[in-house]
Amino acid sequence: MSSRARLKILSIAHPAVSRDAGRLRYYPLGRRDDLDVHLVVPAVWHQFGRDIVADPSDDPGITVHVMPIRLPKAGPMSWYLHFYPGLRKLIRELDPDVIHLWEEPWSVVAMQARLLKGRAAMVMEVDQNILKRLPPPFEFIRKQVLVNTDHVLSRSPDATAVVRARSYEGPVSSIGYGVDLTNFRPDVAPLLPPVERPAFRIGYVGRLVVEKGLDDALDAMARAKAPVTLALMGEGPQEDALRKRVAELGLTDRVSFRGWGKPAEVAGFLRSLDALILLTRTTGAVKEQFGRVITEAQACGVPVIGSTGGAIPDVTGEGGWIVPESDPPALAALIDRIAVDPAELQKRSAAALTNVADRFTYEAVAKDLANACFAADARRRGR
């Protein structure tokens, strides 16, 4: 590539099938005059029991290739077996400088890209943060893909440790998930004092499952001296058990439940809180990979009370507080301290907004992606 040529990137990313989610992170790349960005997405994607038809391909500044896939929902391996029959032809026609995969390295589509990439450098984006041996042939695929990867974009330090343990020796940089600031934003200027409420209001958005530690939050409320309320938005198999525990602890008047909402409704819910909680517990099968609701809350100026589980401390940064997993007394003590300290809340709220602005806007995520692609291209060319 000459000094004046644009870097041609081919990104393969099933999360970008929809414009209102993964595809938005590519738009800042389309505004750059040093990049020529092509995006491959499945024509139809099957996830969470439904088929998602790809949004149209007339996106600003980038070229979107909507392509059919094979094996979209293959038994217990879910989407990890899918591949694109037309990918060989597309790569030959485009001759990209870099192929970027927003797919896990053990997926068949990652192996397909590794075999077809030609002269292109390869950038892998990884989330998996629990080290475990995969069944054949996926362990073999992972090793082959990672050995032939020029740069890894990692969602967390734990995800980095996993690829290091599986033969990857090249450079790693971090990347987060972008936040849609058109929905998730504060109502007022970030440095205004928090609204005084009769009780300290904490809340949670997500699935109601045991791993999220919501029973720890209830136990902490029962222990706390400060008046505190909890609002839950979401659904899941633990709802009945949580309602029962609320009644047992005498918290019926202080805990509310509501179902899922649209993004604008979620944002309004978050803005009603003094702090969001995300108290994920680590198990053999669960370790928080990112926690998108952290950045959504922080984009609204709401600080986060998080556990030490997985990526939560790293994503939260200075925009909140961290307590040990499964430790209601520690959580109760924290609530009692910050519920009566508006200056601390204001400080953490400002830090939350800064954390998102610096790391988790779509522009910041796009910059991290572009920098990794330039670095991979330079490494492949020996510069």
Side-chain angles (χ1 to χ4, degrees):
M1 186 185 71
S2 70
S3 60
R4 295 186 178 182
R6 294 192 297 169
L7 187 75
K8 185 179 290 185
I9 301 171
L10 175 62
S11 180
I12 304 170
H14 76 260
V17 67
S18 173
R19 281 178 174 165
D20 62 4
R23 206 179 296 184
L24 294 175
R25 51 139 52 174
Y26 292 91
Y27 292 173
L29 300 177
R31 295 192 288 269
R32 294 179 55 151
D33 58 11
D34 57 349
L35 297 175
D36 178 14
V37 179
H38 293 255
L39 174 62
V40 172
V41 301
V44 180
W45 184 247
H46 182 84
Q47 189 168 349
F48 303 130
R50 64 189 183 99
D51 288 330
I52 304 170
V53 177
D55 283 332
S57 58
D58 54 338
D59 296 273
I62 63 174
T63 303
V64 179
H65 305 267
V66 178
M67 301 174 64
I69 60 173
R70 300 280 173 81
L71 302 180
K73 45 181 178 180
M77 292 312 296
S78 187
W79 56 73
Y80 298 118
L81 293 180
H82 84 277
F83 64 96
Y84 293 87
L87 189 60
R88 180 190 297 273
K89 180 181 178 182
L90 181 64
I91 291 176
R92 284 179 175 175
E93 291 175 351
L94 292 179
D95 188 25
D97 300 302
V98 178
I99 294 178
H100 159 258
L101 288 121
W102 191 1
E103 311 282 354
E104 287 294 351
W106 63 80
S107 62
V108 170
V109 70
M111 188 64 169
Q112 183 187 22
R114 175 257 180 275
L115 294 172
L116 301 178
K117 68 186 185 67
R119 69 175 186 89
M122 195 156 80
V123 175
M124 284 296 312
E125 194 164 329
V126 298
D127 288 90
Q128 177 56 253
N129 60 352
I130 299 177
L131 179 60
K132 53 187 175 183
R133 180 163 292 279
L134 303 172
F138 300 102
E139 192 63 53
F140 172 80
I141 291 174
R142 173 162 61 178
K143 183 174 182 179
Q144 285 296 309
V145 168
L146 289 175
V147 166
N148 288 275
T149 293
D150 298 281
H151 199 105
V152 161
L153 281 163
S154 175
R155 205 78 62 201
S156 69
D158 289 329
T160 300
V162 169
V163 296
R164 291 293 190 207
R166 287 296 180 260
S167 305
Y168 180 72
E169 298 178 352
V172 177
S173 55
S174 64
I175 191 167
Y177 285 113
V179 183
D180 181 4
L181 299 183
T182 60
N183 277 312
F184 298 98
R185 63 187 188 277
D187 270 338
V188 293
L191 297 182
L192 291 179
V195 176
E196 290 191 9
R197 300 186 179 96
F200 185 67
R201 181 174 166 87
I202 60 176
Y204 168 84
V205 178
R207 294 188 67 227
L208 305 183
V209 293
V210 172
E211 295 84 359
K212 296 302 182 180
L214 295 170
D215 48 342
D216 291 334
L218 297 177
D219 290 345
M221 289 177 63
R223 291 171 177 267
K225 299 176 182 177
V228 55
T229 63
L230 171 63
L232 302 172
M233 173 182 270
E235 300 167 10
Q238 200 194 12
E239 181 173 344
D240 289 344
L242 289 172
R243 288 182 180 274
K244 181 179 178 181
R245 185 62 176 158
V246 166
E248 291 172 349
L249 293 173
L251 300 174
T252 303
D253 294 336
R254 295 162 57 190
V255 179
S256 62
F257 292 79
R258 61 177 292 184
W260 298 113
K262 297 179 180 179
E265 295 171 320
V266 175
F269 174 83
L270 291 170
R271 285 191 288 266
S272 74
L273 306 176
D274 292 304
L276 175 85
I277 59 168
L278 187 59
L279 305 171
T280 308
R281 301 163 173 153
T282 300
T283 71
V286 174
K287 195 174 189 180
E288 193 69 64
Q289 292 185 341
F290 186 79
R292 295 192 199 199
V293 72
I294 296 174
T295 56
E296 291 172 347
Q298 290 186 337
C300 295
V302 177
V304 175
I305 301 173
S307 73
T308 50
I312 293 173
D314 179 65
V315 176
T316 301
E318 297 298 316
W321 310 265
I322 301 300
V323 294
E325 293 182 38
S326 302
D327 194 340
L331 178 58
L334 175 67
I335 290 173
D336 282 337
R337 178 170 66 83
I338 64 178
V340 295
D341 191 346
E344 171 72 0
L345 286 173
Q346 186 175 350
K347 172 186 171 183
R348 299 289 180 166
S349 175
L353 290 167
T354 299
N355 189 43
V356 170
D358 289 347
R359 302 169 64 197
F360 302 120
T361 63
Y362 285 122
E363 288 74 15
V365 172
K367 183 178 179 180
D368 289 339
L369 175 54
N371 287 344
C373 289
F374 276 112
D377 178 64
R379 186 169 187 257
R380 171 67 57 171
R381 295 168 181 270
R383 296 198 299 269

